[in-house]
Amino acid sequence: MRDKFNRFMQGRYGVDAFARFTMGVALVAIILSIFFRSGSRMGALLDTVGLLVLLYTYYRMLSRDIQKRYQENEKYLAATAKIRQSMMNQRKTHHIYSCPGCGQKIRIPRGKGKIEIECPKCHTKFVKRS
């Protein structure tokens, strides 16, 4: 079965960063449509948008025009380069921990040794190295 799938995908573009982004957009739109469901136009609009974005994503993943899909991904990466770069720079100067109580992400400066951290959300205290 896996061999058949591999043969089917041979020569097709597959998943890239832009495909992951569009899948996320489709998922968010479909989940939001659940909250607007009660017969509203907004729910139907979000359902339609989610479905169209999902179809576009699968079209891109199964496409054999690899050069064009590559160019689309490069445009996406260029447009999000500053955001991704600032996140990477923060990783150099800060640790990011998850609170054991609620899962809230907490950013702590590096180089402070062992410190006690208090979660701003649930006020759970825990000790980590910075």
Side-chain angles (χ1 to χ4, degrees):
M1 184 68 165
R2 187 177 185 147
D3 190 44
K4 285 183 180 181
F5 179 72
N6 285 339
R7 274 188 271 132
F8 173 75
M9 287 302 290
Q10 198 168 23
R12 297 182 191 273
Y13 189 66
V15 180
D16 59 5
F18 187 52
R20 286 190 292 274
F21 171 73
T22 55
M23 278 286 209
V25 169
L27 181 66
V28 167
I30 291 170
I31 289 173
L32 284 176
S33 73
I34 294 169
F35 294 108
F36 290 103
R37 184 55 56 164
S38 60
S40 70
R41 288 184 179 165
M42 183 61 108
L45 177 67
L46 286 170
D47 263 343
T48 304
V49 167
L51 180 64
L52 290 175
V53 172
L54 193 63
L55 289 174
Y56 175 68
T57 303
Y58 276 104
Y59 166 75
R60 285 190 76 252
M61 288 172 23
L62 299 175
S63 174
R64 290 185 185 264
D65 191 355
I66 293 173
Q67 187 62 35
K68 190 170 183 179
R69 303 291 87 85
Y70 177 78
Q71 288 172 351
E72 291 170 352
N73 189 48
E74 286 298 311
K75 285 180 186 177
Y76 168 75
L77 291 175
T80 60
K82 282 189 176 180
I83 295 168
R84 288 181 294 109
Q85 186 63 38
S86 71
M87 290 172 67
M88 289 306 292
N89 287 341
Q90 283 185 16
R91 291 278 185 178
K92 292 177 184 174
T93 60
H94 292 80
H95 281 289
I96 299 175
Y97 294 114
S98 294
C99 172
C102 65
Q104 173 74 35
K105 299 240 187 236
I106 303 166
R107 193 176 67 130
I108 304 299
R110 287 182 181 262
K112 302 291 184 190
K114 258 190 180 178
I115 57 172
E116 183 179 50
I117 303 166
E118 181 177 352
C119 176
K121 187 175 180 183
C122 70
H123 302 290
T124 301
K125 292 183 180 181
F126 57 100
V127 177
K128 291 283 185 177
R129 287 187 64 220
S130 67

